[in-house]
Structures are given as C-alpha cells and as structure tokens.
Amino acid sequence: MMYSSRRKPVLYFKDDRRSCFMCFKISRSESQRMQRHEEVHFLSRKCTVWKLFGFCMVFVLGSLLWVQLTCSGDMNQTVGYSHLPHQPCPIERQSSSADDPSWGPHKMALIVPFRERFEELLIFVPYMHAFLNKKKIRHNIFIINQVDRFRFNRASLINVGYMESGNDTDYIAMHDVDLLPQNEDLDYGFPEEGPFHVASPELHPLYHYKTYVGGILLLTKKHYQMCNGMSNRFWGWGREDDEFFRRLKTAKLELFRPTGITTGTKTFRHIHDPAWRKRDQKRIAAQKQEQFKVDPEGGLTNLRYKVESRKEVTISGAPCTVISVVLECDLSQTPWCQSS
Ligand code: UDP
Ligand code: MN
C-alpha cells in the first residue's frame, strides 16, 4: 500500500481512535477493510499530547519571531521590511505617555554631540530612555553624529541638534554620551526660570570649577535662541562650554543648579576611559589665543551644515534619532578645524 508522506500509517494503525488533523481513516468494518476509503478529518479527533505540544511550540515561536521582526526599527532596515510601519516594542509601550497629564505638558530634546563612541552609545540610549521614563519626562533622543573630516565640534553639533529637533519639543538637554545620572532625584524637568546645569561642579566626577556648564545643561528653546546658540569656532576638545557660560551672562539668564543631592561626585557615572577615548587637546596656530575669546556674533546665525542622513533606530528597544551631519568650516576664520 502506498501512502503519501502525510499519511502516516504507523500513527494510524497504532490506535484507530486517535488521529491527528490531516490524518486519514482507511476503513471501519471488516468487509470494508480491503477497500480504501479516504476520509479527511480535520481536527476531528484528539491529537497525541506530543503532537499538540509541538504545534503549540511552533505557534509560540512563530509569534515571537514576528514580534521581533516587526517592532524593531533596526530589523526593518536590515531585512528589507522597510515598508512595514514601525510598531512600538514593549519598552516603548511602557513609555507611552501621550494622554497621561501627570507627565506634564513639556517635551525635551535630548541632544548628544557624537562621534565614534559606539560602545558608550549602546549603553547611554537605553539607560537614559528608562531613566527619563521613570521620571515621567517626555523626550526624544537625538544623536548628532559628525561625519565630516574636520576636528570634533561639540558646540556646532549641539546647534545642529537644536535646529533639527522639531516643533514638538520645547526644551533641550545638551548631554554628553558618557555621563550617566545615578541619582533619580536629579531634576530633568522644563527649566522655566533659566538654564539648569545638571552636571554641576559639585557633582561632576571630574570638573569642579564654578563657571563650569559642560556635561549636561538644560535650556528652554527660547533661552537657547536668546544666546544665539553656541559658538561654532571651537574645534577639538574644550572651551566651547566656557564661552557659553559667558553667553548666558550676556543674555542676562540666571543659571540654576541642583540642590539637595547627597550623592556628591558619585551622582554620575563617567563611562570614559581617557587612554582609549583620547581628548583632542591640540592647539593649532592661533587657536591658543583664540580659545579664550568670546565670539560675539557667531552661533545659530552662522551655523553651516548638511544633514547626510536621518535614521530612526532603536537600541535595546529604546528609540532615538541618529542624524549624521557634515559641518562646514570657514578656513579663513578657524583654520584650526583641520588637524594638520
Ligand atoms: N564626543 C564624541 N566623540 C569625540 C569627542 C567627544 O562623541 O571624539 C562627545 C561625547 O558626547 C562626549 C562629549 O563629546 O561625552 C565630551 O567629550 P569628552 O568626553 O572627550 O570630554 P570630557 O568631558 O570627558 O572632558
Ligand atoms: Mn568624557
């Protein structure tokens, strides 16, 4: 007797009271035994326990695979599912705050000036997303990735972040990628009264001078505009934040800092190995003198850049926007934008 591969005689003859869907019954009575009656019974009889178990496992695994493929922005891009709408992953659903008034009316653009700190980024984005959600701070994370061949320009990247952060955010946090807040009492709310320096000199693990405003600084967009943003003249490491301190004074903005934080210099984790992530502290040509000067005109008004790409990605389920940027440099103004 010939059976197709789906007709499993072993199963059938073992016990004709059991079958599984898609199995075949051959005959009932003695006289009919020689005759082949093929009756298809879909789900008409009990399956074996193991068959049922196997079916359930396949179904569960299939569902998990589907969720993985459709909810991750990264996967959508890499496996050609770009036509699928981006679906929220569980971590994003948790953070859904759209209709919850306890999250308040404001939304922060968290701006990260960035180049070649990939390992830190993988830690930073999920950490900050969870930290801010826990504090009910509405936010979008923008990674401003410098892709030109000039030296790193933290201030210009923050200016770009401000320009590209959209109308649904009303304040910015300029935020180093390697500073992770460890104390949930730190305030990341809307800085209504004036700029709020989260990584204050008493709390920063490294920088303790009293005019320091680097690391993490919050400003309303209105206040940032009043300063004309940051100067674009600072290429390489340092001084752009000190120049911004002077802009705050010029704009007559009062600077605020955290109070009642008892964790001291353990308030932040600085995930920065200086031997591996070397600071570009070279001072080229006139940069040596120029680095201490105020830039009275430059800022948002003379920022020159091109957006090379803009991608929505998720890192361990946490969403962020990666904007790759080509900065322009006026060599007659700041020849030190080039390394050599
Ligand atoms: N940064 C970067 N790539 C660089 C240099 C700096 O992404 O090559 C960014 C990053 O966000 C970093 C911030 O600029 O946290 C400040 O630079 P860095 O950590 O070197 O300075 P520090 O505050 O530790 O002196
Ligand atoms: Mn650092």
Side-chain angles (χ1 to χ4, degrees), residues 168-185:
D168 64 331
T169 53
D170 55 2
Y171 69 112
I172 64 165
M174 44 178 100
H175 210 302
D176 285 359
V177 75
D178 57 13
L179 275 184
L180 305 178
Q182 305 294 298
N183 188 333
E184 281 172 20
D185 292 338

Side-chain angles (χ1 to χ4, degrees), residues 253-271:
L253 290 170
E254 192 180 351
L255 179 68
F256 294 84
R257 290 203 171 112
T259 53
I261 300 290
T262 55
T263 38
T265 52
K266 301 237 176 326
T267 303
F268 301 94
R269 199 152 76 86
H270 191 196
I271 47 170

Side-chain angles (χ1 to χ4, degrees), residues 14 32 65 92 129 155 171 178 216 222 225 242 282:
K14 220 174 184 176
Q32 288 170 321
L65 187 67
E92 287 175 68
H129 186 58
Y171 69 112
D178 57 13
I216 309 165
K222 188 176 130 208
Q225 183 81 48
D242 300 331
K282 285 190 296 289

Side-chain angles (χ1 to χ4, degrees), residues 1 46 48 89 118 128 172 204 213 261 274 326:
M1 201 180 285
K46 284 183 190 168
T48 65
C89 290
F118 186 66
M128 288 309 298
I172 64 165
H204 193 283
V213 287
I261 300 290
V326 175

Side-chain angles (χ1 to χ4, degrees), residues 193 195 223 226-227 246-255:
E193 307 292 314
H223 289 160
M226 280 166 62
C227 299
R246 292 158 80 173
R247 286 177 180 238
L248 297 177
K249 285 196 121 180
T250 308
K252 300 201 169 25
L253 290 170
E254 192 180 351
L255 179 68

Side-chain angles (χ1 to χ4, degrees), residues 112-117 152 154 175-179 204 206-207 212 237 270 272 277 279:
V112 183
F114 182 83
R115 176 192 262 175
E116 290 172 356
R117 300 277 178 112
F152 188 71
R154 180 175 176 271
H175 210 302
D176 285 359
V177 75
D178 57 13
L179 275 184
H204 193 283
L206 215 53
Y207 301 118
Y212 177 64
W237 177 88
H270 191 196
H272 186 160
R277 302 301 199 199
R279 298 179 174 99

